[in-house]
Amino acid sequence: MASVSSLLSQVNAVFAEKEKQLKQAEVTLEHEVAALAKEKELMATIPTADNDVVYLNVGGTICATKRSTLTQAQGSMLAAWFSGRWEHGLDHDDEGRIFLDFDPDLFQPILSFLRSRAICSNPDARPALVGVDASKQRAFADLVKYLALEEYLGYEHDTGSQPLMPSFARASVTATISENRQIATVTRDTGNKWPIILVEPSCSSCCFLKFKITDWPQQPVFVGLGANFDVGKEARYFETAHGWMLGLGGPSCSASCFVKGTMGAHVADRIIKRNGWVLVKADFNSQKLVIRTSESSRSNDIPLEVADHEPLFFAIGLNSVGDHVELLPVTPEDQALFK
């Protein structure tokens, strides 16, 4: 009988503890509901709309932009801060502007990217991140990570040890891209027009492209960078194109350059041999496009005149059925060739 009584006491104690925990949870829930109601009430006093102009003080630099520009990257810190839910808790300066204690030289490229992305008609295109000084790349990477914008900006800071592996973005209808997006081949008659194969550059102040063309064709090949390439039209001339028209001459290759779609002078002999590689660097800080090849002992550069808002792509223009281009990883050793 005593054992039964002891068992009942234990059961009652368990139920009493559970009841206590339930009451505590109920009180906590009531507080959370009250806090949410207070927050909603506070939000109602701060009307927000996508076309609101938000005034910022970024490390002492004053700027203004639309709320929708700051909140477009869902899941980012900026989207959370400027959704209207937490804005009242942010720091403000003496003029009432929201104060962000960031280096303005690091925040401005992010804001420029967001502005460009907001007005870009192609949802798959990413504008290039420009204006980040090489000495501040590490700090810039830290800020991008802090704001949870790495995926949206397509930005991965290169630690100097891992190769960069680009991939083809899209191609003209007369060319096909392999499943791993590393190989492109002209599969149909081009009708005397160059199929355009695009590679989206990594979003940083310096972008690289490395490739090889198996059995380099007799017809010239365009390689360069530009904006607004229309792969559907397979145009022969590109209004924003910067780059080189590479053509075989005997066992080697000569080149003529393009700047903003205008062909310039002959620039080099013996640039490449069959099955050699081509390495291109777009440096947005120095505003230069630079080319280096497996056969050359020096680099050749041309001016790079692009607007900040333009979504940029590397482009390779092939010519004949069977032309075959393969992307290659860009190693730290490759990047060092331009130093």
Side-chain angles (χ1 to χ4, degrees):
M1 193 72 173
S3 62
V4 173
S5 176
S6 176
L7 180 61
L8 286 174
S9 296
Q10 293 177 16
V11 170
N12 288 334
V14 170
F15 274 110
E17 179 62 25
K18 294 294 183 183
E19 184 178 14
K20 180 181 178 181
Q21 293 177 0
L22 184 60
K23 287 183 178 180
Q24 289 177 342
E26 186 177 357
V27 171
T28 300
L29 180 60
E30 288 176 352
H31 288 166
E32 291 177 350
V33 170
L36 180 60
K38 185 176 180 179
E39 185 177 315
K40 287 183 176 179
E41 182 179 347
L42 181 60
M43 288 176 63
T45 65
I46 310 175
T48 61
D50 285 345
N51 61 352
D52 284 350
V53 176
V54 178
Y55 294 90
L56 303 174
N57 179 340
V58 183
T61 297
I62 309 303
C63 59
T65 189
K66 287 186 177 181
R67 185 180 302 278
S68 57
T69 300
L70 297 169
T71 59
Q72 64 184 278
Q74 296 183 7
S76 69
M77 292 292 287
L78 293 177
W81 289 342
F82 296 99
S83 64
R85 184 174 183 180
W86 308 110
E87 198 164 325
H88 61 279
L90 297 177
D91 294 331
H92 291 71
D93 65 11
D94 294 340
E95 301 295 326
R97 296 176 291 246
I98 295 172
F99 179 75
L100 301 179
D101 195 15
F102 301 144
D103 183 338
D105 291 340
L106 302 181
F107 187 76
Q108 187 58 50
I110 295 175
L111 183 58
S112 295
F113 177 96
L114 294 175
R115 284 169 170 163
S116 299
R117 191 73 183 268
I119 63 174
C120 184
S121 59
N122 182 359
D124 297 324
R126 282 196 181 102
L129 279 169
V130 297
V132 183
D133 188 86
S135 64
K136 294 185 176 184
Q137 285 290 333
R138 172 62 67 179
F140 180 73
D142 291 341
L143 179 58
V144 171
K145 184 176 182 179
Y146 174 74
L147 295 175
L149 284 169
E150 291 171 296
E151 182 177 354
Y152 193 76
L153 270 62
Y155 181 85
E156 294 183 4
H157 179 64
D158 179 31
T159 61
S161 60
Q162 297 297 322
L164 305 174
M165 191 67 240
S167 60
F168 287 117
R170 60 185 189 273
S172 304
V173 295
T174 54
T176 60
I177 297 175
S178 64
E179 186 174 347
N180 67 0
R181 310 197 75 78
Q182 303 302 309
I183 298 173
T185 306
V186 179
T187 54
R188 290 164 48 188
D189 183 20
T190 63
N192 199 32
K193 295 179 180 179
W194 280 299
I196 309 169
I197 304 165
L198 301 182
V199 181
E200 186 172 2
S202 59
C203 293
S204 66
S205 59
C206 289
C207 306
F208 296 88
L209 171 69
K210 186 179 183 181
F211 66 93
K212 69 176 181 180
I213 296 180
T214 304
D215 191 17
W216 195 279
Q218 293 295 328
Q219 298 295 329
V221 171
F222 172 80
V223 56
L225 179 138
N228 304 317
F229 286 111
D230 189 341
V231 297
K233 293 183 178 179
E234 302 184 6
R236 178 177 289 275
Y237 301 105
F238 320 118
E239 293 181 358
T240 64
H242 297 70
W244 297 266
M245 192 66 70
L246 306 178
L248 281 174
S252 60
C253 180
S254 62
S256 295
C257 67
F258 276 76
V259 177
K260 297 192 74 173
T262 301
M263 182 177 288
H266 174 84
V267 294
D269 284 319
R270 301 189 62 80
I271 281 196
I272 192 170
K273 292 182 179 180
R274 297 180 188 276
N275 297 314
W277 51 257
V278 177
L279 180 63
V280 180
K281 174 186 177 181
D283 189 331
F284 297 107
N285 287 330
S286 63
Q287 295 185 314
K288 290 182 179 180
L289 190 66
V290 193
I291 192 170
R292 187 77 178 259
T293 73
S294 54
E295 301 301 324
S296 61
S297 59
R298 60 185 177 85
S299 302
N300 181 270
D301 63 77
I302 58 176
L304 185 58
E305 303 173 11
V306 294
D308 290 348
H309 67 275
E310 293 179 327
L312 301 173
F313 289 89
F314 283 119
I316 303 171
L318 301 178
N319 195 287
S320 306
V321 174
D323 287 354
H324 177 97
V325 59
E326 179 179 352
L327 295 179
L328 301 174
V330 180
T331 66
E333 291 74 18
D334 291 328
Q335 298 178 44
L337 292 174
F338 294 107
K339 295 180 180 178

